Amino acid sequence: MLVGVCDFPGDYAFPPSGYGGIERWLWAVAEGARAAGARAAGARAAGARAAGADVHLLGPLWRDDLAPEWTRRPVRLEDLEPGSRAARELRATGYDLLIVGHEYPTLPASHRTRELLDCDVATFQHHPGFQHAADSFDGVRDRLYCYSPEMLERYAVHRPIAEQAVHLGLNETEPPSAPGRDLVWVGRIDEDKAPHLAVRAAQILGRRIRLVGPVFDESYVRNHAALLTAEHVEWVGEVGGAAKTAAFRDASVFVYTYARTYVEAGAAVFGESLRAGTPIPASPGAKARVPRLPCATAPAPSPSPTPKKTTRAPPTPWQRPSAAPNPSTTPTSSR
């Protein structure tokens, strides 16, 4: 399978060294697809096929200092002109799947690109308020992935597929676990992410806390200045790469917060913290959403007099479902 992972016009590099949710997700998918391709190639050809042969990085914003095994093609899909040499070359490459940012499938140019390249398109919904065109997804060749039940409900008309969000930045290799100290909060500092709640919790517990991340809303910081500038708070600022990974590893506990009115689209910091070996406190409430590690043992199902219908596991972003659901026979609650 040949996968193209596409950049888009934005403020962060591809891949970013610190923040940029969609950019980090695209890089994680590129790394994952490449690793899957390498394993499959090894099984077929005893490792003779190069690891990077199954993934191309499409677009002009991908870093030019990436490892040489990455294939970069600085072409922006929405800029392709039908019949042009660039369009013909891209079609002749024979992509099976394009991974794109969540806004791309709604662009008018995306329909032209799909017809030109005749391949699958997949994306992950990173923003809870973005509105897609009605014909952006069909659930099979054009797929939308969502993280939470709230996001699945919001985008139900587009037949979303439930999937956990995995993010990865540049030079964020998994570190060896180490005993940490204090608490840490990581993210963008604004009203939606509400780090003042973490600061208040640390204050109640008599613990120190480090705030790691860029300030997105100065007025929010001013409104909560008494808490955010308290003596038990250390401001680290925006960091990336190994320094960001170390911020997770060096803490005893990672604290996650968000405002009551905010709908979480990804919560990828859970994975970042767990990769660094740092635990996360979680509420046992009915609406708590905590990712399960692949090695975790699932709890035994409750006894039920009526056997439940088994369902096929949802595909990963680089796997196509075997058949499209029939909207006339598929109940909304099962999408």
Side-chain angles (χ1 to χ4, degrees), residues 16-38:
S17 60
Y19 298 84
I22 307 176
E23 295 89 342
R24 291 170 58 81
W25 178 78
L26 288 168
W27 180 239
V29 172
E31 286 275 30
R34 187 178 70 157

Side-chain angles (χ1 to χ4, degrees), residues 66-104:
L66 297 175
E69 62 263 26
W70 288 103
T71 299
R72 296 176 64 253
R73 301 187 68 174
V75 57
R76 183 65 54 70
L77 297 180
E78 55 267 39
D79 294 337
L80 287 176
E81 292 293 335
S84 66
R85 179 178 178 181
R88 292 194 303 272
E89 290 178 350
L90 209 61
R91 180 179 176 84
T93 303
Y95 290 103
D96 299 292
L97 171 66
L98 296 179
I99 305 289
V100 299
H102 70 236
E103 297 184 7
Y104 180 76

Side-chain angles (χ1 to χ4, degrees), residues 152-243:
L152 291 168
E153 182 179 356
R154 284 191 170 214
Y155 291 91
V157 69
H158 299 295
R159 302 176 182 177
I161 300 167
E163 185 60 79
Q164 293 180 8
V166 178
H167 286 196
L168 189 64
L170 188 66
N171 299 324
E172 291 184 9
T173 56
E174 184 173 328
S177 182
R181 63 179 179 85
D182 302 330
L183 309 180
V184 69
W185 182 97
V186 181
R188 68 174 190 267
I189 297 176
D190 62 12
E191 195 75 42
D192 287 338
K193 294 297 186 176
H196 69 282
L197 299 177
V199 171
R200 176 57 179 150
Q203 187 180 57
I204 293 172
L205 294 172
R207 301 287 298 274
R208 291 189 58 78
I209 187 169
R210 295 190 294 277
L211 301 182
V212 181
V215 174
F216 272 43
D217 187 347
E218 296 283 356
S219 63
Y220 164 78
V221 176
R222 290 193 297 269
N223 291 340
H224 297 279
L227 270 177
L228 296 177
T229 60
E231 290 187 0
H232 70 293
V233 181
E234 177 186 349
W235 282 67
V236 176
E238 182 173 1
V239 296

Side-chain angles (χ1 to χ4, degrees), residues 277-298:
T278 300
I280 308 165
S283 166
K287 293 188 176 181
R289 307 298 179 198
V290 182
R292 188 179 67 189
L293 290 175
C295 59
T297 301

